[in-house]
Coordinates of all heavy atoms in Angstrom, one line a residue:
Q1 N -9.7 11.4 2.2 CA -8.7 11.7 3.2 C -7.5 10.8 2.9 O -7.6 9.7 2.6 CB -9.2 11.5 4.6 CG -10.3 12.5 5.0 CD -9.9 14.0 5.0 OE1 -8.8 14.3 5.6 NE2 -10.6 14.8 4.3
A2 N -6.3 11.4 3.2 CA -5.1 10.6 3.0 C -4.1 11.2 4.0 O -4.3 12.1 4.8 CB -4.5 10.8 1.6
Y3 N -2.9 10.6 3.9 CA -1.8 11.0 4.8 C -0.6 11.3 4.0 O -0.3 10.8 3.0 CB -1.4 9.8 5.8 CG -2.6 9.4 6.7 CD1 -3.5 8.5 6.3 CD2 -2.7 10.1 7.9 CE1 -4.6 8.1 7.1 CE2 -3.8 9.7 8.8 CZ -4.7 8.7 8.4 OH -5.7 8.4 9.2
A4 N 0.2 12.3 4.5 CA 1.4 12.8 3.8 C 2.5 13.1 4.8 O 2.2 13.5 5.9 CB 1.1 13.9 2.9
A5 N 3.7 13.0 4.4 CA 4.8 13.4 5.2 C 4.9 14.9 5.2 O 4.7 15.6 4.2 CB 6.1 12.8 4.7
T6 N 5.1 15.5 6.4 CA 5.4 16.9 6.5 C 6.8 17.2 5.9 O 7.5 16.3 5.6 CB 5.3 17.4 7.9 OG1 6.3 16.8 8.7 CG2 4.0 17.1 8.5
T7 N 7.0 18.5 5.8 CA 8.4 18.9 5.3 C 9.5 18.3 6.2 O 10.5 17.8 5.7 CB 8.5 20.4 5.2 OG1 7.5 20.9 4.4 CG2 9.9 20.8 4.7
W8 N 9.2 18.3 7.5 CA 10.2 17.7 8.4 C 10.2 16.2 8.2 O 11.3 15.6 8.3 CB 9.8 18.1 9.9 CG 10.8 17.7 10.9 CD1 12.1 17.9 10.9 CD2 10.5 17.1 12.2 NE1 12.7 17.4 12.0 CE2 11.7 16.9 12.8 CE3 9.3 16.7 12.8 CZ2 11.8 16.3 14.1 CZ3 9.4 16.1 14.1 CH2 10.6 15.9 14.7
G9 N 9.1 15.6 8.0 CA 9.1 14.2 7.9 C 9.8 13.7 6.6 O 10.4 12.7 6.6
Q10 N 9.7 14.6 5.5 CA 10.4 14.2 4.3 C 11.9 14.2 4.5 O 12.6 13.5 3.7 CB 10.1 15.2 3.2 CG 8.6 15.1 2.7 CD 8.2 16.3 1.8 OE1 9.0 17.3 1.7 NE2 7.1 16.2 1.2
G11 N 12.4 14.8 5.5 CA 13.8 14.8 5.8 C 14.3 13.4 6.2 O 15.5 13.1 6.2
L12 N 13.4 12.5 6.5 CA 13.8 11.1 6.9 C 14.2 10.3 5.7 O 14.7 9.2 5.8 CB 12.6 10.4 7.6 CG 12.4 10.9 9.0 CD1 11.0 10.4 9.5 CD2 13.5 10.4 10.0
E13 N 14.1 10.9 4.5 CA 14.6 10.2 3.3 C 16.1 10.0 3.4 O 16.6 8.9 3.1 CB 14.3 11.0 2.0 CG 14.8 10.3 0.8 CD 14.5 11.0 -0.5 OE1 13.7 12.0 -0.5 OE2 15.0 10.6 -1.6
T14 N 16.8 10.9 3.9 CA 18.3 10.8 4.0 C 18.6 9.8 5.2 O 19.6 9.1 5.1 CB 18.9 12.1 4.4 OG1 18.4 12.6 5.6 CG2 18.7 13.1 3.3
V15 N 17.7 9.7 6.1 CA 17.9 8.6 7.2 C 17.8 7.2 6.6 O 18.6 6.3 6.9 CB 16.9 8.8 8.3 CG1 17.1 7.7 9.4 CG2 17.2 10.2 9.0
L16 N 16.7 7.0 5.8 CA 16.5 5.8 5.2 C 17.7 5.4 4.2 O 18.1 4.3 4.2 CB 15.2 5.8 4.4 CG 13.9 5.8 5.2 CD1 12.7 6.1 4.4 CD2 13.7 4.4 5.9
A17 N 18.1 6.4 3.5 CA 19.3 6.2 2.6 C 20.5 5.8 3.4 O 21.2 4.8 3.0 CB 19.5 7.4 1.8
A18 N 20.8 6.4 4.5 CA 21.9 6.1 5.3 C 21.8 4.7 5.9 O 22.8 4.0 5.9 CB 22.1 7.1 6.3
L19 N 20.6 4.4 6.3 CA 20.4 3.0 6.9 C 20.7 1.9 5.8 O 21.3 0.9 6.1 CB 19.0 2.9 7.4 CG 18.7 3.5 8.8 CD1 17.2 3.4 9.1 CD2 19.5 2.7 9.9
G20 N 20.2 2.2 4.6 CA 20.4 1.2 3.6 C 21.9 1.1 3.2 O 22.4 -0.1 3.0
Q21 N 22.5 2.2 3.1 CA 24.0 2.1 2.8 C 24.8 1.5 3.9 O 25.8 0.8 3.6 CB 24.4 3.6 2.5 CG 23.9 4.1 1.2 CD 24.1 5.6 1.0 OE1 24.2 6.3 1.9 NE2 24.2 6.0 -0.3
W22 N 24.4 1.7 5.1 CA 25.1 1.1 6.2 C 24.9 -0.4 6.2 O 25.8 -1.2 6.3 CB 24.5 1.6 7.5 CG 25.0 0.9 8.8 CD1 26.2 0.9 9.4 CD2 24.2 -0.1 9.5 NE1 26.2 0.0 10.4 CE2 25.0 -0.6 10.5 CE3 22.9 -0.6 9.3 CZ2 24.5 -1.6 11.4 CZ3 22.4 -1.5 10.2 CH2 23.2 -2.0 11.2
Y23 N 23.6 -0.9 5.9 CA 23.3 -2.3 5.8 C 24.1 -3.0 4.8 O 24.6 -4.1 4.9 CB 21.8 -2.5 5.6 CG 21.3 -3.9 5.6 CD1 21.1 -4.6 6.8 CD2 21.2 -4.6 4.4 CE1 20.6 -5.9 6.8 CE2 20.8 -6.0 4.4 CZ 20.5 -6.6 5.6 OH 20.1 -7.9 5.7
A24 N 24.4 -2.2 3.7 CA 25.1 -2.8 2.5 C 26.6 -3.1 2.9 O 27.2 -4.0 2.2 CB 25.0 -1.8 1.4
T25 N 27.1 -2.5 3.9 CA 28.5 -2.8 4.3 C 28.5 -4.0 5.3 O 29.7 -4.4 5.7 CB 29.1 -1.6 5.0 OG1 28.4 -1.3 6.2 CG2 29.0 -0.4 4.1
G26 N 27.4 -4.6 5.7 CA 27.4 -5.7 6.6 C 27.8 -7.0 6.0 O 28.1 -7.1 4.8
P27 N 27.8 -8.0 6.8 CA 28.3 -9.3 6.4 C 27.3 -10.0 5.4 O 27.7 -10.9 4.7 CB 28.4 -10.1 7.7 CG 27.4 -9.5 8.6 CD 27.4 -8.0 8.3
A28 N 26.0 -9.7 5.4 CA 25.0 -10.3 4.5 C 24.1 -9.2 3.9 O 23.0 -9.1 4.3 CB 24.3 -11.4 5.2
P29 N 24.6 -8.5 2.9 CA 23.8 -7.3 2.4 C 22.7 -7.7 1.5 O 21.8 -6.9 1.3 CB 24.9 -6.5 1.6 CG 25.9 -7.5 1.2 CD 26.0 -8.5 2.3
D30 N 22.7 -8.9 1.0 CA 21.6 -9.4 0.0 C 20.3 -9.5 0.8 O 20.3 -9.9 2.0 CB 22.0 -10.7 -0.7 CG 23.2 -10.5 -1.6 OD1 23.4 -9.3 -2.1 OD2 23.8 -11.5 -1.9
T31 N 19.3 -9.2 0.2 CA 17.9 -9.3 0.8 C 17.0 -10.0 -0.2 O 17.3 -10.3 -1.4 CB 17.3 -7.9 1.0 OG1 17.1 -7.2 -0.2 CG2 18.3 -7.1 2.0

């Protein structure tokens, strides 16, 4: 047994991408 993102859940890829790009514009983007 395993777990997988549904089609709707896979749509969160764009959310993660946007969060990362937003973080990059901040005062301390390095991690």
Side-chain angles (χ1 to χ4, degrees):
Q1 296 296 309
Y3 298 89
T6 62
T7 301
W8 188 44
Q10 289 171 351
L12 286 167
E13 179 177 353
T14 57
V15 175
L16 288 166
L19 280 172
Q21 291 171 328
W22 169 78
Y23 184 84
T25 65
D30 292 334
T31 64

